[in-house]
Amino acid sequence: MSNINIICDKISKTYSGKLILKDISFSISSHQSLSITGRNGSGKTTLIKLIANIIRPSNGRITFQKNNADIPDDKRYQRIGLLSPYLNLYDELTAFENLSFFYKLRSSSNLNPDEKINSLLQKAGLYEKRNELIKNYSSGMKQKLKLLFAVIHNPEILLMDEPRTNLDKTGIDMICEISAEQKKHGILIIATNDESDKKLCDDSLNIEDYN
Amino acid sequence: MSELMHTSLMIFKKDFTSELRTRYAINSLVMFVLVTISIIRFAIGDEKIDNEILTGLLWIVIFFSTTSGLSRVFVKEEEKETSLALKLSTDPSSVFVGKLIFNLVLTFILNILILILFIAITGYQIKNLSGFIITVLIGNIGLVSASTIIAAIISKANSKGTLYPVLSFPVLLPLLLTVINATSLASSGIDTERLSGEIQILISYSVVVTVASLMLFRYVWED
């Protein structure tokens, strides 16, 4: 069975001369989970962005390995699923069109994804409104859709930043279910200060310990 | 290569659907063209204007309408914070090619509108039609290629509106000088063969800008 590792080696991040993260080091492998904690403004979101390869560290290095071989920077996105408040889907497309577009972009297979998308939408309670433009969705419905966007391609690494934001009980149950499933085959990292989210993860990293 | 084209076409299709539903760029472009050509009409009055001057006016309309419309493909992604979802779903080259195809299609449709209105209102004469079409076509490819990468650059900046013409003018100046000259020659009836020098410059510009843009886009796209 393939094994994926993320190795963060003394990573620091500076924005406009202000040090946000300093010398963070940790490593995580498949079947492991990590909660990133810290007060507001401590750099949890910055660390998630760094791991997701959205921004680059000012110092240090983040390495992705699969079966001990390095994964090049430009191939990392294929393995990552991200749920975050600063990521939006297309308001002018329907929920189904959004998921179908991103699934087809990410997948190299020609299999028709309709069945999978419909089943996910059903699970999230969005099936009835699948053909509505998402600009008409509530913030909770959008959050559920973003969760589906994060997991639709079965990523090996699932990153979630404050995942419970705006979610109702169905949504929170989905987070728990998806987290448990993710730990079976890949890596789960959650940036949170919510006690229930922390319990979904086996290990914890408090950013303030590094500052 | 086929995968690049496949994902690029998907991005183009998404942008096209999105544009048809929101009319984010089309409305402003059409309005811009109508207003500009109307102003030209009022300014000309009943005067008989030389074809050379009309060629210059034609390219002013084309240049400023592309300036007002083409930057939106990237600005919209940044403003609505959807670029991150794209970054996590495909490689930068596919995004650039998809946006380039979208801008090309938009510009060609727009140019047809501009030409019809411009000829109808100013009485602009085209004596060498094939030479004229080749020149405008290749000129547009160069214009769109350069505009698309500049759009990607300015989408990351705070003062997007003002930065676009400032950045695009020096980059597009060699293209504009050549294409205005070639269009003027073609419209005055010069043989297409005698336009080959200008056409070669336009092709070279388009190829160099497109290839350089493809190579540079990764660094622009990633923060």
Side-chain angles (χ1 to χ4, degrees):
Chain A
M1 198 174 181
S2 64
N3 195 39
I4 193 155
N5 303 308
I6 302 174
I7 303 155
C8 292
D9 183 22
K10 289 189 172 178
I11 51 168
S12 301
K13 184 66 185 174
T14 309
Y15 275 123
S16 310
K18 191 182 170 197
L19 188 67
I20 308 291
L21 293 173
K22 189 183 166 194
D23 292 340
I24 306 259
S25 295
F26 69 89
S27 68
I28 185 166
S29 306
S30 294
H31 315 293
Q32 292 183 337
S33 52
L34 179 75
S35 65
I36 299 170
T37 60
R39 61 180 160 71
N40 292 344
S42 58
K44 298 189 295 294
T45 295
T46 304
L47 185 55
I48 287 283
K49 284 182 176 175
L50 285 164
I51 299 167
N53 206 29
I54 299 163
I55 54 172
R56 307 269 172 182
S58 307
N59 279 308
R61 194 159 174 253
I62 301 175
T63 315
F64 280 39
Q65 291 180 335
K66 177 127 182 173
N67 299 329
N68 296 321
D70 281 6
I71 300 169
D73 276 12
D74 57 352
K75 300 286 176 206
R76 288 182 188 177
Y77 70 88
Q78 296 164 336
R79 303 172 190 281
I80 295 171
L82 173 68
L83 169 66
S84 123
Y86 44 85
L87 178 152
N88 285 333
L89 303 179
Y90 293 101
D91 274 349
E92 59 277 14
L93 300 183
T94 66
F96 187 90
E97 285 169 341
N98 264 295
L99 292 180
S100 176
F101 169 65
F102 286 113
Y103 181 85
K104 286 175 184 167
L105 267 190
R106 287 160 154 173
S107 169
S108 50
S109 80
N110 290 324
L111 288 175
N112 189 346
D114 293 7
E115 205 174 311
K116 182 174 184 173
I117 293 169
N118 281 333
S119 136
L120 281 171
L121 285 168
Q122 210 131 29
K123 206 184 271 184
L126 299 173
Y127 183 75
E128 300 300 321
K129 299 206 170 187
R130 68 190 184 284
N131 293 325
E132 252 185 53
L133 301 184
I134 67 163
K135 69 179 176 189
N136 300 324
Y137 273 31
S138 70
S139 46
M141 288 160 79
K142 281 184 182 171
Q143 180 75 350
K144 280 183 191 170
L145 194 63
K146 285 198 258 180
L147 178 61
L148 300 186
F149 159 80
V151 298
I152 194 167
H153 58 304
N154 299 322
E156 290 161 292
I157 301 155
L158 179 59
L159 308 169
M160 298 200 277
D161 190 355
E162 307 289 359
R164 286 172 196 249
T165 314
N166 300 319
L167 285 181
D168 59 11
K169 190 175 176 308
T170 330
I172 291 168
D173 288 347
M174 268 185 79
I175 295 278
C176 299
E177 196 185 315
I178 285 168
S179 300
E181 192 58 40
Q182 182 66 25
K183 286 195 279 185
K184 286 182 195 164
H185 74 271
I187 292 173
L188 172 69
I189 300 178
I190 305 179
T192 185
N193 280 320
D194 187 292
E195 288 304 320
S196 308
D197 283 341
K198 287 183 203 169
K199 283 179 191 159
L200 296 172
C201 301
D202 304 324
D203 291 311
S204 182
L205 182 150
N206 188 345
I207 289 188
E208 289 172 67
D209 294 344
Y210 287 85
N211 294 337
Chain B
M1 188 65 190
S2 66
E3 199 185 322
L4 173 77
M5 274 322 287
H6 175 71
T7 46
S8 303
L9 286 173
M10 280 176 55
I11 291 167
F12 161 72
K13 204 176 141 194
K14 184 272 296 172
D15 278 341
F16 198 75
T17 310
S18 173
E19 183 56 45
L20 285 180
R21 287 179 188 170
T22 60
R23 299 195 180 93
Y24 200 81
I26 290 174
N27 280 352
S28 63
L29 282 172
V30 170
M31 280 312 294
F32 185 90
V33 170
L34 290 176
V35 169
T36 321
I37 292 182
S38 303
I39 290 171
I40 290 173
R41 176 74 189 95
F42 297 137
I44 289 174
D46 294 330
E47 294 282 327
K48 175 81 183 136
I49 303 291
D50 194 67
N51 235 30
E52 245 177 77
I53 295 170
L54 286 177
T55 306
L57 287 173
L58 172 68
W59 276 99
I60 287 173
V61 178
I62 293 175
F63 171 71
F64 281 107
S65 53
T66 52
T67 301
S68 73
L70 299 191
S71 62
R72 290 171 192 264
V73 281
F74 285 110
V75 171
K76 196 174 79 166
E77 298 276 2
E78 293 297 331
E79 281 179 355
K80 299 214 165 186
E81 295 179 322
T82 49
S83 60
L84 188 52
L86 264 187
K87 277 178 198 166
L88 288 166
S89 304
T90 189
D91 65 304
S93 308
S94 303
V95 176
F96 182 77
V97 176
K99 302 283 185 192
L100 182 67
I101 297 170
F102 175 77
N103 273 348
L104 277 170
V105 171
L106 190 67
T107 308
F108 285 136
I109 295 170
L110 186 75
N111 276 355
I112 292 169
L113 175 73
I114 292 174
L115 280 171
I116 292 170
L117 289 174
F118 196 81
I119 291 167
I121 283 175
T122 63
Y124 184 59
Q125 288 185 337
I126 304 164
K127 289 178 182 160
N128 175 1
L129 187 63
S130 60
F132 179 85
I133 290 171
I134 292 169
T135 308
V136 173
L137 202 70
I138 303 168
N140 266 303
I141 294 170
L143 185 66
V144 171
S145 280
S147 300
T148 306
I149 189 70
I150 295 165
I153 294 168
I154 63 128
S155 70
K156 306 279 180 186
N158 291 327
S159 51
K160 299 174 176 64
T162 47
L163 200 57
Y164 191 85
V166 173
L167 265 183
S168 61
F169 183 69
V171 176
L172 289 170
L173 192 61
L175 174 94
L176 288 172
L177 290 175
T178 313
V179 82
I180 290 170
N181 187 35
T183 313
S184 177
L185 290 173
S187 65
S188 65
I190 300 283
D191 286 347
T192 310
E193 274 178 29
R194 287 176 60 196
L195 289 172
S196 61
E198 276 78 8
I199 290 171
Q200 279 172 15
I201 294 172
L202 292 177
I203 292 173
S204 310
Y205 180 95
S206 302
V207 170
V208 168
V209 170
T210 308
V211 172
S213 300
L214 260 174
M215 290 163 73
L216 289 173
F217 181 70
R218 180 177 303 278
Y219 304 100
V220 177
W221 186 234
E222 290 167 4
D223 282 330

